[in-house]
Amino acid sequence: MGSTGGGTGGGTRSAPDATERARPDRTGREADPYAEEAAAVRAGLVREIVASGGLTDPTWRAAFEEVPRHLFVPYYYETGEAHEAGGGAAGAGEVRGERAAAGGEAGGTGVVVAGGARGTVGCTRLWRDDSHPLRRARWLAGAYADAPLATRVRDGELITSSSQPSLMAQMLQALQVRDGDRVLEIGAGTGYNAALLAHRLGDAQVTTLDLDPEITDAARNHLAAAGYRPAVVTGDGARGCPSHAPYDRIIATCAVASVPPAWLGQCGPDALILTPLATGLIALRVADARHAEGRFLATPAYFVPLRGSGPPPQVPTYGLPSRPLLDDSFRFLLNLAAGQMEPVEALALWEHEGRPGRERYGVTVRGERQWAWLDDPEGAYGWPLGPPGRLQPYD
């Protein structure tokens, strides 16, 4: 999960996908030499997520127990400071989302240098077909760590990653799917999230969409290797996928600054849209093609943005003391109200209202109008939402 799902790309081709080279067994599926070992470490990951309270639904627990994540990440990148890259990876990236992982299209030693928003980082590729057994073991262990994994970078920009599994579990449970629901996923990523959905609902009920044909080709290959065949469509995420509509649920794995109208128009009555927005996750209940409303989940979520809207500006922080900037709930408000409030006004509101968490905020869509609000859609605090990609999250 976690590609941008819309816009344009360009640059170098990605490293060849290991699933494209593996020989199939007699069933037509890829013969997996890691199946037994992977099952053991996957069980450990599921136990970890359950222990943290992030996986309470038994049907979703079964999906995480049975869908092999390692087939969806035949290679990925660990990142660190450039001067550390030659000595190995520095870490698997930030937790709770997808924005931290960054990498490059590596060859040779698997160490590349890429420019990112926070400066130059060194990226080490871990690969399932590495000739060194210790590096292969490290790849498999990382595939089942509760951490996001960078899987594709183009021109120094993170294009695709596999989200932190515990965050995926929270999002899938919050989607509140029922048997027979039709689901559209915006942002195909590696295909892993689509496989979890297909395990729960069946292949015919799931469509996953991404603009980049390299991403959709790789996701389709990964899904087939794992034994799943949902619809994988190449197209602009902001436009949805009308040919497979209507949908009972839409889940996005890329951040938007406002809700694309096409999504509402492709929903059936009482559908639910779950999408990252302003470093949070908004769950919108759809009344009809022009009306929806809902609240944010309590959890933080940092995702790569929906592409195609140009480079977003930074969220302003001028005039603010350093202490509130360390508080995640205040940074969320800065992102949500950026362009509508001065930073010092946002600070005064946040302190006056008791430092509210994400769950006190919501979003309303009424025709051409969209706005975020605190506590009440008609209350004292509301901020118009801009076009997709308008904001650069502050963290």
Side-chain angles (χ1 to χ4, degrees):
M1 182 173 77
S3 87
T4 52
T8 58
T12 59
R13 284 188 59 85
S14 61
D17 199 320
T19 60
E20 297 173 354
R21 297 190 306 275
R23 294 180 179 179
D25 61 18
R26 284 180 295 180
T27 68
R29 289 172 54 182
E30 175 194 359
D32 181 10
Y34 300 99
E36 185 175 349
E37 186 178 358
V41 290
R42 184 162 63 250
L45 171 63
V46 172
R47 286 194 298 270
E48 179 183 347
I49 299 174
V50 171
S52 69
L55 191 55
T56 58
D57 186 318
T59 58
W60 286 118
R61 178 171 180 168
F64 278 87
E65 288 173 337
E66 296 177 28
V67 176
R69 189 189 190 200
H70 67 285
L71 294 183
F72 295 86
V73 288
Y75 62 88
Y76 57 87
Y77 300 94
E78 290 184 339
T79 63
E81 296 300 322
H83 67 272
E84 298 174 341
E94 292 176 8
V95 298
R96 297 281 179 206
E98 306 193 29
R99 68 174 302 207
E105 309 301 352
T109 63
V111 177
V112 298
V113 175
R118 296 186 180 180
T120 300
V121 294
C123 309
T124 302
R125 185 177 73 167
L126 296 178
W127 187 32
R128 80 170 192 178
D129 291 342
D130 196 302
S131 60
H132 198 289
L134 292 180
R135 287 195 293 267
R136 291 198 303 272
R138 184 170 148 198
W139 160 79
L140 186 61
Y144 288 104
D146 189 23
L149 301 175
T151 57
R152 193 178 298 260
V153 165
R154 185 176 292 143
D155 298 335
E157 177 190 359
L158 175 62
I159 301 298
T160 311
S161 61
S162 181
S163 294
Q164 182 180 6
S166 59
L167 179 59
M168 297 175 68
Q170 291 182 53
M171 291 179 68
L172 289 170
Q173 291 184 144
L175 200 59
Q176 302 176 27
V177 297
R178 305 155 300 186
D179 291 346
D181 278 351
R182 295 176 60 84
V183 178
L184 172 64
E185 179 190 31
I186 307 293
T190 66
Y192 178 50
N193 198 60
L196 294 166
L197 285 162
H199 184 283
R200 170 65 179 85
L201 296 169
D203 290 346
Q205 304 304 110
V206 179
T207 299
T208 185
L209 174 72
D210 204 288
L211 179 75
D212 192 322
E214 286 189 3
I215 291 174
T216 51
D217 286 349
R220 190 178 294 109
N221 289 337
H222 298 160
L223 284 157
Y228 299 98
R229 287 178 169 77
V232 182
V233 178
T234 303
D236 187 344
R239 298 179 181 273
C241 184
S243 61
H244 292 193
Y247 304 104
D248 303 290
R249 301 289 186 268
I250 293 179
I251 181 171
T253 62
C254 49
V256 298
S258 63
V259 182
W263 295 3
L264 271 67
Q266 293 169 28
C267 283
D270 203 37
L272 186 70
I273 295 174
L274 182 67
T275 184
L277 192 155
T279 78
L281 293 165
I282 185 68
L284 291 170
R285 186 65 67 177
V286 178
D288 56 43
R290 294 174 59 82
H291 298 84
E293 189 168 274
R295 288 185 178 268
F296 283 89
L297 307 187
T299 184
Y302 296 88
F303 284 79
V304 293
L306 184 76
R307 286 179 290 153
S309 301
Q314 292 288 334
V315 173
T317 60
Y318 52 82
L320 294 173
S322 59
R323 184 174 296 274
L325 291 174
L326 300 176
D327 192 297
D328 178 74
S329 66
F330 179 61
R331 298 198 306 268
F332 172 73
L333 175 58
L334 280 180
N335 280 274
L336 191 63
Q340 308 299 326
M341 297 179 68
E342 293 295 317
V344 292
E345 293 177 318
L347 178 59
L349 183 157
W350 178 69
E351 291 180 333
H352 181 267
E353 294 298 322
R355 303 183 177 185
R358 284 172 173 80
E359 66 277 9
R360 286 180 57 185
Y361 297 88
V363 168
T364 296
V365 180
R366 291 183 186 168
E368 302 300 320
R369 295 179 58 215
Q370 294 189 31
W371 70 96
W373 40 265
L374 174 65
D375 292 333
D376 185 338
E378 308 298 337
Y381 304 115
W383 308 278
L385 295 179
R390 182 176 61 88
L391 301 181
Q392 171 66 44
Y394 173 79
D395 181 38

